Amino acid sequence: MKKSVLTLIFLFGISWRCSAQMISCAQASSFVGMSVTVCGQVKTAMRDSLGKRSGMVLALCLPYPHQPLMIVIKDDTLPLFAYDETTWPGKQICVSGLISLLSGRPYIEVRKRTQIVD
């Protein structure tokens, strides 16, 4: 019970602090082009090449390749986080940002440390 109350307080604080609308992972494809906040568990983390650059790709809510939303952290932003591909999975995070499409799949690119609350 105490954990549920703390989770609700945490999520309320996130939604209050962020001007973006809070949505579920499953709703991501319906909000392309909009700034939102999405909370969920990181199921998969992997290094990948992202066009001309490389970075970390996090699969939120479901493991790759079935994730409803990808979180992209390019190499120049990656040092802002204390995690790597072995420590991201299992983390409960909230991500705020613009939902775009990459190969037809929704993603949020993280450019600032404040976009992810863990």
Side-chain angles (χ1 to χ4, degrees), residues 18-73:
C18 301
S19 59
Q21 181 176 356
M22 186 167 286
I23 65 168
S24 69
C25 291
Q27 296 173 303
S29 61
S30 299
F31 286 85
V32 173
M34 299 177 71
S35 288
V36 298
T37 298
V38 182
C39 295
Q41 186 178 44
V42 176
K43 295 295 186 173
T44 311
M46 62 189 142
R47 302 277 303 153
D48 200 1
S49 71
L50 307 163
K52 295 179 182 179
R53 300 186 328 188
S54 62
M56 182 78 59
V57 177
L58 308 177
L60 208 57
C61 299
L62 290 173
Y64 176 84
H66 305 290
Q67 76 281 1
L69 179 66
M70 295 181 295
I71 307 304
V72 175
I73 309 171

